[in-house]
Every structure is written in structure tokens, then in C-alpha cells.
């Protein structure tokens, strides 16, 4: 049975820049051949739960100030309207027509460059409690039995105001939080993870919570955590990838 995944997508330039995380995601995609992918991205934040029923989701370039070649990137993966409508019914989600934001298409363009696996976007309901997000993941867990890959896409640390040049030193408040999350995930300490905002450096690494919250969905959808990749870009963007088998 497929695991669920939490992927740190970092900067949109991940699509074009050969960093350790870029190279890892290219390799990771060779290990999975799902029937479809359901992705919860930090960049589709809503009050209530929504799901995209688009048959041909557009590639959304939801960022600014990057090189022209990044805006020329297209990821023409098909949607899966039947699966999306089923999720809308089972989860009480609002069906909408929406494309793939960069939290979805950037990592998928590396994992599945052929863009030949259907993708369904599920929104991140940021007004929900942490426990409710885990419960959402638990409802998605049954999809893994149908060869559907459930992905939460965010960033393990995400303080853009503290970014440094590419090879900047990783400050202790970042590395300590990375280590804390890693230890709590390996111990399956869900009470601690549900209260992640109260841990030292939690809010420093996530001034807003939307890049951490997809981790809670992925955790709920799977079992024991395993860190598949760890690297840090721009000093403060942890690019960790976890599988929940």
C-alpha cells in the first residue's frame, strides 16, 4: 500500500534549480506509480474544505519576481473529476474548478515529469483545528488502498523574512525546530505535534501556519513516520520529506 507523503516544496525555483531537494524529488518519483494523486497544498488556503473537479487543471503561477522561464513552465497533468466528486460527497467539500498552484505542480513536475498521472487538489481549511486536520487525513487514508498517493505540500520551516543567500548558515532556532519535529514524528507523539505552535521556535519558523498544516493531514493519512530527505535552502527553508507508511 502506498504511504502518504509530506513534501517541503520550498521556493518555486525548485522546479529549475538542481539543489539536493530537487534531485531527491526526481529520484523519489521513480519509486511510485499511483493511479492518481490527491494533494493538499499550503497555497490553496480556504475557510471551509474545497476540492477541484477540473478535468484539465491549469498551471497556476502564483508568485512574482522570478525569471521568465519559471512562468513558461507548464504542468499539464489531467484531473480526475470522478474521484474529486466522490471526495466532495464523502468529505462534505465544496466542488470547484481550480488549477494546480505551485505547491502542487512544482514538486510534481520533478516527481512525475511526464505529467501523466491524474491530480486532484484538495484545499487546506486553515480555520480548522490541528486535530481536525489530522482527522481529515484519517478520512483520506482509505485512498491509499486504491493506489492513490496522498500528498501534503508545505515547508517544514517557512520564515521568508529571515531568508539568506543560498548557502547561508542555518540558525539554531531553525535547526532546533527541525530536530524537534523529527523526534516527535518518529515517536508518533501526536499530542505534541498538535500543539506545535507552543513549542520553542514554532512561531518563529512559521509566522503563519499554512506551510506546517499539510504535515498534519499527511500524518493523519498514514502510519509510522520516516524521514526520506533533509536539507535546508536559503538558511531557513527546511526541505524535509516524510513518508507515513
Amino acid at each position: 500500500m502506498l504511504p502518504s507523503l509530506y513534501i517541503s516544496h520550498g521556493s518555486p525555483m525548485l522546479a529549475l534549480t538542481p539543489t539536493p531537494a530537487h534531485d531527491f524529488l526526481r529520484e523519489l518519483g521513480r519509486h511510485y506509480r499511483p493511479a492518481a494523486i490527491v494533494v493538499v497544498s499550503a497555497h490553496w488556503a480556504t475557510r471551509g474544505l474545497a476540492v477541484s473537479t477540473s478535468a484539465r487543471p491549469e498551471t497556476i503561477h502564483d508568485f512574482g519576481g522570478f525569471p521568465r522561464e519559471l512562468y513558461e513552465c507548464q504542468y499539464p497533468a489531467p484531473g480526475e473529476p470522478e474521484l474529486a466528486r466522490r471526495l466532495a460527497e464523502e468529505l462534505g467539500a465544496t466542488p470547484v474548478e481550480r488549477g494546480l498552484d505551485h505547491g502542487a505542480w512544482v514538486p510534481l513536475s520533478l516527481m512525475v515529469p511526464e505529467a501523466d498521472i491524474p491530480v486532484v487538489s484538495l484545499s487546506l481549511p486553515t480555520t480548522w483545528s490541528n486535530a481536525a486536520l489530522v482527522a481529515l487525513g484519517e478520512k483520506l487514508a482509505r485512498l491509499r488502498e486504491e493506489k492513490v498517493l496522498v500528498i501534503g505540500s508545505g515547508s517544514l520551516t517557512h520564515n521568508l523574512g529571515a531568508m539568506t543567500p543560498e548557502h547561508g548558515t542555518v540558525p539554531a532556532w531553525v535547526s532546533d525546530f527541525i530536530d524537534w519535529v523529527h523526534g516527535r514524528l518518529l515517536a508518533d507523539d501526536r499530542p505534541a505535534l498538535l500543539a506545535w505552535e507552543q513549542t520553542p521556535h514554532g512561531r518563529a519558523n512559521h509566522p503563519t501556519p499554512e506551510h506546517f498544516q499539510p504535515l498534519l493531514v499527511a500524518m493523519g493519512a498514514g502510519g509510522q513516520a520516516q524521514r526520506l530527505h533533509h536539507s535546508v535552502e536559503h538558511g531557513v527553508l527546511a526541505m524535509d520529506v516524510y513518508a507515513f507508511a
Side-chain angles (χ1 to χ4, degrees), residues 6 8-10 42 154-164 169-182 196-215 230-240:
Y6 173 70
S8 297
H9 61 253
S155 190
L156 196 71
T157 59
H158 192 258
N159 188 331
L160 299 184
M163 287 174 61
T164 66
T169 301
V170 179
W173 57 270
V174 174
S175 57
D176 287 352
F177 182 73
I178 294 168
D179 292 344
W180 181 86
V181 174
H182 182 56
W196 68 270
E197 298 100 329
Q198 278 72 57
T199 198
H201 312 307
R203 282 302 190 189
N205 282 281
H206 290 278
T208 57
E210 76 285 342
H211 278 75
F212 190 88
Q213 289 170 327
L215 172 66
H230 167 67
S231 62
V232 179
E233 297 181 5
H234 300 289
V236 295
L237 295 182
M239 302 300 295
D240 295 41

Side-chain angles (χ1 to χ4, degrees), residues 7-195:
I7 294 174
S8 297
H9 61 253
S11 161
M13 286 300 292
L14 181 71
L16 301 177
T17 309
T19 65
H22 172 110
D23 295 343
F24 171 77
L25 289 174
R26 283 198 174 279
E27 178 61 29
L28 179 66
R30 299 190 180 105
H31 295 276
Y32 304 120
R33 187 64 192 177
I37 296 168
V38 171
V39 59
V40 179
S41 165
H43 292 281
W44 187 18
T46 55
R47 291 188 61 81
L49 187 63
V51 61
S52 175
T53 58
S54 177
R56 293 180 177 83
E58 66 173 324
T59 304
I60 303 174
H61 299 88
D62 51 339
F63 42 74
F66 289 94
R68 183 183 63 186
E69 50 265 43
L70 189 60
Y71 298 92
E72 294 173 347
C73 290
Q74 295 294 317
Y75 191 70
E80 181 54 273
E82 183 177 342
L83 174 59
R85 285 190 287 268
R86 192 183 112 199
L87 289 175
E89 182 176 348
E90 292 178 353
L91 302 174
T94 301
V96 300
E97 293 275 334
R98 189 180 189 274
L100 299 176
D101 60 66
H102 80 270
W105 71 260
V106 165
L108 290 179
S109 71
L110 301 174
M111 294 174 63
V112 191
E114 302 83 1
D116 58 353
I117 296 176
V119 182
V120 172
S121 292
L122 192 64
S123 77
L124 178 68
T126 55
T127 58
W128 290 16
S129 69
N130 291 335
L133 294 172
V134 174
L136 172 61
E138 291 170 346
K139 292 177 181 178
L140 296 174
R142 66 175 71 94
L143 295 176
R144 297 167 51 215
E145 300 174 357
E146 303 173 27
K147 294 191 66 177
V148 175
L149 184 62
V150 177
I151 297 176
S153 176
S155 190
L156 196 71
T157 59
H158 192 258
N159 188 331
L160 299 184
M163 287 174 61
T164 66
E166 184 63 31
H167 300 295
T169 301
V170 179
W173 57 270
V174 174
S175 57
D176 287 352
F177 182 73
I178 294 168
D179 292 344
W180 181 86
V181 174
H182 182 56
R184 294 307 88 211
L185 285 172
L186 292 189
D188 196 25
D189 187 352
R190 295 194 174 193
L193 290 161
L194 289 175

